[in-house]
Structure formats: C-alpha cells, structure tokens
Amino acid sequence: MRRKPFISGNWKMFKTVDEAVETAKSLVSVVSGQNARDIMIAPPYTDLFPVYQEIKNTNVALGGQNLHFEKQGAFTGEISADMLLSCGCKYVIIGHSERRQFFGETDETVNRRISMALESGLIPVVCIGENESEREEGKTNSILDKQMKNGLKDIVVKNGQELIIAYEPVWAIGTGKTATPEIAEESHAFIRETIQGVFGEEFAQSTRIIYGGSVKPGNTAELMAMPDIDGALVGGASLEAQSFAEIVNYTEKS
Ligand code: PGA
C-alpha cells in the first residue's frame, strides 16, 4: 500500500513571532506546488496563530509541540487541545524525547495526551525511540514495544481517524548521527508489526511511521526509499525554509 509521505518540521524553542512568520512565508512560497506530500510545521505556541495566518489555505498544515491531557484547568504553563485547535492546528506532537528526558513525560502521560488529541480531533504524532545505551545493550525492540504498548493502551481510533508514529532514536536527534536507512527500516518494520498487534492489519498498513533524527536534504531520499519509512520529523534542518523545502521536495529514488 502506498502511504502519502508526511514531512514535518519541529521548530522546538526557536523563533520569535516575526522570525516564525518570516520563515513560514518563505516556506509556503517554495513548497506551494508540492501536493504529493503532506507538510506540517510545529512552531512554538506563541507563534501558532500568526503563523496560521500565513499558511491557512495553503498545503502547509500546523501542529502543536505538545498538549495537556485535561480539557482545561489550573495547569500553569500548559496548553489544551481546544487552544491548539483555535490557533489552526491539525496535528500535535506527543511524547517527544526532549519532553521525556527533560520534563518527566512518561508512557502513561503520553497515553493520556494521545487520548485527548484523538477525542478533540487533532492528529497525534507520537514519538518513540531508544537511547544510545539501550541500543548498545540490544534493547531497542523491547523499548519500542514497551513505549508502543503502554502509549497506546486502551486507545480507540475511530473510523477515519489517524495516528502517526515518529521513530526517533534519541542518539540521532540533534547529533548529526542519522540512523542508516537499514537501521531505521528495521525499527519501522518492527513498529508496524506492533501496530498490527494492537489495531489490526488494515490500520497498520495505512499508518504512517515517520523517521526523525538528523534528517537533512542530503539523506532524505535514501531514508524515504525504505518500504516502511513514510515521512520525516525534522528539527534543525526545518528551521530554514530553504533546507526544509529541499527535504519536502526530495526526489524519489526509482
Ligand atoms: P533533529 O531533531 O532533526 O535536529 O535531529 C529531530 C527531532 O527532534 O524531532
């Protein structure tokens, strides 16, 4: 089955409103002809609404970098699904390794956030991945299995709803060390099997599993040539419109 490539940019804690609007404007102009791929950018919260003004009615969609699992309440510093939706978000990144590493995110909180995203009509982009020592100790698959099973526990995906999984080996994020296409493919295939176990064959075949970790214009095509790699979650190289556009517009290997 052919899955439409999903190329997404995570701007993390970079860009003021002016900078974000400027980048979004340039990006829209260079990717406007690209309809063979789904494109998303996830700017910081303060940039969401102004960036949306630039990208609405274009082929670039908006995503949040996180969301809280309650609808609203006394949760200082958090953001709700409705707030993201009201800024024009269609997607939301959940469980990024930086959230897990620095902000105490666990599989259980990831699970609750996924549930809230789906309930609210946001498409979750759920990040999983092993760290360097886990890989060296041969624990990659057991870590992915645990993150998937606990993260997706009791999650119900209704007809027509989508869920995207981002495989991001922690040792490859922001380090310049990309997983080789073969290493990434092995994990992607394993993740697809796990999805099949949880949600069944049809859902597993239609789910996009994207790769993240030092994706650049120069390595996108070879990663995307792998059968189970359906897109990219790009950090550093998504901050410049030109380099992100080159990733979006990668040339398919025949
Ligand atoms: P990177 O980040 O592309 O800078 O490695 C990827 C990510 O954190 O999603």
Side-chain angles (χ1 to χ4, degrees):
M1 176 193 240
R2 176 109 170 76
R3 294 170 289 264
K4 189 174 183 185
F6 180 79
I7 310 291
S8 53
N10 172 10
W11 289 358
K12 307 191 179 185
M13 198 176 74
F14 291 98
K15 296 185 188 295
T16 60
V17 169
D18 287 350
E19 291 163 350
V21 166
E22 191 57 42
T23 308
K25 210 182 265 184
S26 315
L27 180 66
V28 162
S29 69
V30 277
V31 299
S32 63
Q34 182 54 267
N35 293 313
R37 285 142 204 182
D38 284 335
I39 309 167
M40 175 202 92
I41 49 175
Y45 303 139
T46 47
D47 302 336
L48 288 172
F49 192 66
V51 163
Y52 184 62
Q53 305 313 306
E54 293 300 326
I55 66 173
K56 63 181 171 192
N57 306 321
T58 74
N59 57 342
V60 180
L62 196 63
Q65 295 180 13
N66 193 12
L67 90 170
H68 196 265
F69 40 75
E70 296 291 346
K71 261 198 107 44
Q72 57 179 17
F75 301 107
T76 302
E78 290 294 318
I79 194 153
S80 75
D82 284 346
M83 292 167 191
L84 294 178
L85 286 163
S86 71
C87 287
C89 288
K90 178 174 176 188
Y91 299 92
V92 61
I93 298 171
I94 294 177
H96 189 278
S97 67
E98 285 149 19
R99 301 289 323 163
R100 295 178 189 257
Q101 206 177 336
F102 305 125
F103 301 99
E105 191 84 60
T106 62
D107 290 339
E108 201 231 325
T109 56
V110 166
N111 177 260
R112 295 177 71 186
R113 292 180 209 274
I114 297 171
S115 173
M116 176 50 78
L118 288 170
E119 204 178 290
S120 312
L122 285 160
I123 301 174
V125 179
V126 182
C127 304
I128 58 170
E130 80 289 358
N131 64 31
E132 192 151 33
S133 61
E134 290 161 345
R135 171 156 290 269
E136 278 164 6
E137 290 162 26
K139 292 185 187 152
T140 300
N141 284 1
S142 66
I143 293 293
L144 296 179
D145 189 64
K146 180 175 103 21
Q147 290 176 335
M148 288 290 290
K149 298 225 168 102
N150 295 343
L152 297 175
K153 187 165 180 279
D154 300 328
I155 294 291
V156 179
V157 186
K158 296 201 189 96
N159 238 347
Q161 272 189 327
E162 197 191 352
L163 177 88
I164 294 171
I165 304 290
Y167 170 60
E168 298 208 299
V170 179
W171 48 270
I173 295 177
T175 58
K177 279 197 231 169
T178 325
T180 62
E182 292 73 22
I183 288 179
E185 169 60 24
E186 219 174 276
S187 292
H188 281 235
F190 177 78
I191 292 164
R192 200 174 303 285
E193 263 174 47
T194 314
I195 300 174
Q196 183 168 335
V198 180
F199 295 113
E201 164 83 16
E202 198 181 323
F203 190 79
Q205 285 307 317
S206 64
T207 295
R208 292 183 284 192
I209 306 172
I210 65 175
Y211 170 80
S214 300
V215 175
K216 296 177 210 68
N219 59 24
T220 308
E222 56 178 17
L223 285 161
M224 291 303 295
M226 293 290 138
D228 288 293
I229 300 184
D230 308 313
L233 181 53
V234 187
S238 74
L239 294 171
E240 297 285 333
Q242 197 50 48
S243 67
F244 188 53
E246 282 175 41
I247 294 173
V248 168
N249 294 325
Y250 73 91
T251 308
E252 215 167 301
K253 289 202 168 188
S254 49

